Amino acid sequence: MRRSEFLRAVDTEFQARASSLVNDLGLSALRGRTALEALEDGTPPREIWLALCAEMDVPENRRHGVGRQEPRGR
């Protein structure tokens, strides 16, 4: 997962709350760091996404593959 895919996934899943969650929510799986702090520290976006999903009780079926753009038509 790339950073852009992470941000797209957060926007899709959390909509209006996305920015607040990324900037303000301390994630227990990331030693209390916010998603933004973890990104800046070099934590892989996929790890941050899964930590955010766990913290916010996102169902398993909405955690995988999100954030990816649809393939372009051939």
Side-chain angles (χ1 to χ4, degrees):
M1 174 178 261
R2 294 183 211 161
R3 183 182 181 125
S4 61
E5 293 170 329
F6 167 76
L7 295 172
R8 192 175 310 112
V10 172
D11 282 340
T12 300
E13 181 64 36
F14 301 108
Q15 300 171 2
R17 299 183 304 160
S19 179
S20 177
L21 292 174
V22 168
N23 293 308
D24 301 328
L25 179 65
L27 300 168
S28 56
L30 300 176
R31 298 183 323 265
R33 292 178 296 161
T34 67
L36 182 60
E37 290 169 334
L39 282 170
E40 290 172 351
D41 289 345
T43 304
R46 180 93 179 140
E47 184 179 330
I48 301 167
W49 169 246
L50 293 175
L52 182 59
C53 288
E55 194 82 27
M56 297 302 296
D57 294 322
V58 173
E60 287 285 331
N61 66 337
R62 294 201 320 247
R63 295 182 188 192
H64 302 286
V66 296
R68 294 184 180 165
Q69 290 183 331
E70 293 298 319
R72 293 183 181 161
R74 295 178 190 217

